[in-house]
Every structure is written in C-alpha cells, then in structure tokens.
Amino acid sequence: MRISVSADELTGVAEALPDELRRRGHQPILHGAYVDGERPDWAWASESAARDVAEGRAEQGIVACWTGTGASIAANKVAGVRAALCGDALTAEGARRWNDANVLALSLRLTSPAQLEEILDAWFSGDPSTMPDDTQNVAHVQEIERPR
C-alpha cells in the first residue's frame, strides 16, 4: 500500500517510521523533514501528505509533529481526509473502524517505538465498519466538507 508520510522533524519515531512501513510491505511517500528542499513545518508537511491521500496518490497517510495535534488539524483541512490522532492501539483500531480514518496522526513526543508497532498493527488490521450508524456518520462528515 502507498502511504504518504510527513513529519516536521526527524526525532522520536519519525526516524524509524519509513523503514517500519517498508518492513511491513508498504511504499512510503515522504514529505516534510524527510525531503530536502520541502518545507518541514507541520502545517505544510501534513497538508502535502493529506493531499496525496485525497488526490489518490496514496491509499493512506501518516502525519507527525511534536504533539500530533497540529499535524492532525492541518491534515483534516484537506477535503476527503479523516485524520485521527492516536496515542494507543485501541484508539487507532476505533479510528479505522468507526471513523474510516484514512490518515493517522502521531505525537513525536509521546509515541515510543513499542507503541508505534502496536498502533500500526491496529491501524493496518482494522477495516471500516459497515454498520449503518457508522457509515451514516462518515457520510455526514463528507457532507460537512461541502460548501453551503
């Protein structure tokens, strides 16, 4: 799977993330601090990764900054993106299942290597729910994105 990945600095799990994705058989598309000449700031880097997802260049995305909050906010401004800040495996599993999240946001400050593995395991093993309440909520989020 093609996964667009951004980080605003190469610290914490950001250093290991592309190799971990490759080890799992995914193809990372890198942005931000991973790419010389690309603006690394969280808003720009997260937007680049999110646009890859929204425009079909990647099936999913992972965005990271010090807290994960800014990366999540920026990614969620791109129509078609449902970014979820996940600090643990249960949150990642729920984000995929109930929210059909397509972008994972991570905190570089709080995510340990062990947590990263657990979060990625849950994220990639999760499938979106087909329950009517869940699909209706996701559809409504898409309606909210449309200008009125």
Side-chain angles (χ1 to χ4, degrees), residues 109-130:
R109 181 177 75 85
L110 295 176
T111 308
S112 72
Q115 286 171 313
L116 176 64
E117 285 194 34
E118 293 171 4
I119 290 167
L120 293 178
D121 287 345
W123 182 266
F124 290 124
S125 67
D127 289 315
S129 169
T130 58

Side-chain angles (χ1 to χ4, degrees), residues 42-112:
W42 58 265
W44 283 266
S46 299
E47 177 192 7
S48 294
R51 288 202 185 282
D52 280 349
V53 174
E55 296 170 6
R57 290 183 295 276
E59 286 80 20
Q60 294 184 6
I62 300 175
V63 296
C65 68
W66 191 242
T67 65
T69 306
S72 174
I73 291 169
N76 275 316
K77 295 297 182 182
V78 176
V81 168
R82 290 173 305 282
L85 175 56
C86 299
D88 59 72
L90 288 176
T91 303
E93 179 185 5
R96 289 288 299 132
R97 180 184 314 137
W98 299 309
N99 311 125
D100 192 11
N102 53 9
V103 173
L104 169 64
L106 296 172
S107 167
L108 297 175
R109 181 177 75 85
L110 295 176
T111 308
S112 72

